[in-house]
Amino acid sequence: QVQLVESGGGLVQPGGSLRLSCVASGIIFRLYRMAWYRQAPGKQRELVADITDFGSTNYADSVKGRFTISRDNAKNTVYLQMNNLEPEDTAVYYCNRYLVAFGSWGRGTQVTVSA
């Protein structure tokens, strides 16, 4: 059974930084293209960034140049370094497989950007 556990969220002022982590279990992590998603109140879940099994990355236009996705296959972990955060980045952040999500989602980690 796939389990995804996100952590690292919190309250930060505009311009601040956070580093999110997601530990996966129940899968051969290194084989999968992974992604970070976010869901803001009243909005649909959206794709933020993804990373292929060999480390190629892609970003939504709204976060390009500010966020960096990375992975450590030895630790079954995918990271999201978020810099220069904006109030519009406020959301619950989730990790999962790129596009075709695993059957279960983690609980996510709340990121709140506010002065």
Side-chain angles (χ1 to χ4, degrees):
Q1 182 178 356
V2 179
Q3 186 173 16
L4 302 164
V5 180
E6 300 93 348
S7 63
L11 173 64
V12 63
Q13 292 186 341
S17 298
L18 286 171
R19 188 192 193 205
L20 308 184
S21 300
C22 170
V23 180
S25 59
I27 59 172
I28 304 175
F29 178 79
R30 61 181 172 80
L31 297 180
Y32 291 99
R33 185 171 180 175
M34 297 296 294
W36 281 97
Y37 303 82
R38 67 186 180 187
Q39 186 166 20
K43 295 187 176 181
Q44 289 189 334
R45 188 174 291 160
E46 64 173 346
L47 176 66
V48 174
D50 71 88
I51 184 166
T52 67
D53 55 342
F54 52 89
S56 180
T57 59
N58 298 281
Y59 299 92
D61 287 344
S62 59
V63 307
K64 203 170 292 184
R66 301 188 297 122
F67 290 10
T68 303
I69 188 172
S70 61
R71 65 191 297 160
D72 185 338
N73 289 338
K75 296 181 179 180
N76 284 9
T77 302
V78 59
Y79 303 97
L80 187 68
Q81 176 67 44
M82 306 187 296
N83 298 328
N84 194 20
L85 282 160
E86 303 170 351
E88 294 73 23
D89 297 317
T90 295
V92 179
Y93 285 71
Y94 304 87
C95 73
N96 211 308
R97 187 168 66 174
Y98 174 68
L99 290 188
V100 182
F102 295 119
S104 59
W105 289 80
R107 298 178 65 178
T109 186
Q110 175 71 49
V111 172
T112 303
V113 185
S114 175

